[in-house]
Amino acid sequence: MARHPGGPTVDGVVMARVVVTGGAGKLGRACVRDLVDHGWDVVVFDRARPESPTAGVTYLPVDLTDYGQVIDAMLGVEERYHQVDALVHLAAVPAPGLVPDHHTFSNNMLSSWNVISAARRAGVLNIVWASSETVLGLPFDVPPPYAPVDEEYPPRPNSTYSLVKTLEERMAVELCRWDPELKMIGLRFSNVMEPADYQRFPAFDDDPRLRKWNLWGYIDARDGAQAVRLALASDLTGTEVFIVANADTVMRRSSASLLAEVFPDVEVRGELGEHETLLSIDKARRMLGFDPQHSWRDEV
């Protein structure tokens, strides 16, 4: 039977089970904790294991480039679980330039195809995956078409990593065309941060060009986890992509002054708040109810 639950509900209903790939990573750890806190039964597929595993979570060392392992684990593991209701796919080589380009492409593209294909064959219709802010044209050596940037202009991949993310978004469109009941939500995460990372933020003010590559954006891992949970709970069908960033920038300077100095010829659309993000989260707010709760300004 195809399963497309929006997640845990009420009145003693058995909680839904979600596979989180890459659950040992920075964003993955936050997502796992958040989903458990909100009643999900979580299974993690990751070759690594976090130093502090979350209680009650099933951790499986799955090589996502091996389809046999992926489909086997997606269909259930004896004495541990027997079905999967949803998928959150976060696992990947996480940025450009970390490994040779061919490895980035082959690992990330094959892993995504294996995991999504296995989920569909297991009857899963509720899929959320990590796309990336990089599809917006990062590192913005060519200025963005306007600011704040949003989901309205076509992807502009400038790296092998970003190319894969763009292809994943296109793949999702076609898979949802094949199956109108399928839901695939791509979250274009900004640069993921944890509270320990915030101590270095004040130094960014010394040179605004140091962080121009992503329009001074970031996403607190806890707020990234919120976006994942809301995407799972959404009753949307088909493919949607959302920019997921925090509501402010990494800078103490105003957003308007940053654009005026670094991107003086870029059209500014609308009125900007003093530190308002230049990676627009309006769509995520409107359609998912996304509401960032954490700011580096509260930690430093």
Side-chain angles (χ1 to χ4, degrees):
M1 177 186 294
R3 292 179 290 278
H4 183 190
T9 54
V10 291
D11 299 329
V13 176
V14 175
M15 296 300 116
R17 179 173 296 115
V18 59
V19 163
V20 179
T21 72
K26 182 183 283 189
L27 178 60
R29 295 190 300 271
C31 286
V32 168
R33 288 191 296 266
D34 184 80
L35 290 169
V36 169
D37 288 346
H38 287 83
W40 285 87
D41 181 359
V42 178
V43 178
V44 170
F45 292 0
D46 200 318
R47 286 181 290 187
R49 185 178 175 88
E51 292 183 3
S52 300
T54 300
V57 172
T58 299
Y59 290 90
L60 291 177
V62 179
D63 179 354
L64 300 184
T65 66
D66 182 337
Y67 182 67
Q69 290 189 40
V70 177
I71 186 65
D72 192 22
M74 195 70 71
L75 292 172
V77 174
E78 291 177 351
E79 301 182 1
R80 305 195 77 178
Y81 61 93
H82 300 290
Q83 72 174 47
V84 172
D85 301 295
L87 167 66
V88 174
H89 176 42
L90 306 177
V93 175
L98 299 180
V99 298
D101 296 339
H102 186 274
H103 180 64
T104 296
F105 186 94
S106 59
N107 180 86
N108 290 5
M109 196 74 243
L110 181 59
S111 295
S112 293
W113 171 248
N114 284 349
V115 170
I116 292 167
S117 176
R120 292 177 63 239
R121 292 192 177 191
V124 174
L125 296 174
N126 190 359
I127 297 174
V128 177
W129 90 97
S131 188
S132 168
E133 64 182 357
T134 60
V135 305
L136 297 167
L138 275 62
F140 291 126
D141 293 330
V142 174
Y146 51 83
V149 296
D150 57 23
E151 298 87 353
E152 294 303 311
Y153 65 89
R156 301 166 61 177
N158 289 320
S159 66
T160 302
Y161 172 83
S162 181
L163 177 62
V164 172
K165 293 300 184 183
T166 302
L167 293 173
E168 288 172 356
E169 291 187 2
R170 187 65 210 176
M171 178 172 68
V173 170
E174 300 306 331
L175 292 177
C176 289
R177 180 175 61 84
W178 295 356
D179 184 353
E181 294 185 359
L182 181 62
K183 176 181 91 178
M184 294 189 67
I185 294 182
L187 301 178
R188 293 175 172 179
F189 289 109
S190 188
N191 193 191
V192 179
M193 299 289 180
E194 294 175 315
D197 298 316
Y198 294 144
Q199 297 304 314
R200 58 192 175 92
F201 275 34
F204 296 151
D205 280 329
D206 295 340
D207 182 358
R209 295 180 183 274
L210 289 176
R211 295 282 307 190
K212 78 176 183 68
W213 56 272
N214 78 336
L215 297 183
W216 307 279
Y218 74 108
I219 179 66
D220 186 289
R222 295 165 293 183
D223 285 318
Q226 177 204 152
V228 167
R229 172 169 42 84
L230 291 171
L232 284 173
S234 168
D235 60 3
L236 294 168
T237 56
T239 302
E240 292 286 351
V241 294
F242 298 91
I243 296 171
V244 176
N246 272 79
D248 60 344
T249 71
V250 302
M251 306 291 282
R252 288 196 174 106
R253 290 180 49 181
S254 73
S255 299
S257 72
L258 291 167
L259 286 175
E261 177 178 342
V262 181
F263 296 108
D265 298 324
V266 169
E267 174 192 358
V268 179
R269 295 189 173 179
E271 295 293 326
L272 292 176
E274 183 177 8
H275 300 118
E276 182 178 342
T277 177
L278 297 169
L279 304 171
S280 174
I281 55 175
D282 289 349
K283 182 181 178 183
R285 281 174 161 152
R286 183 177 69 254
M287 296 182 66
L288 297 179
F290 177 58
D291 182 20
Q293 298 297 303
H294 304 279
S295 170
W296 71 274
R297 299 168 208 280
D298 300 326
E299 304 280 349
V300 177

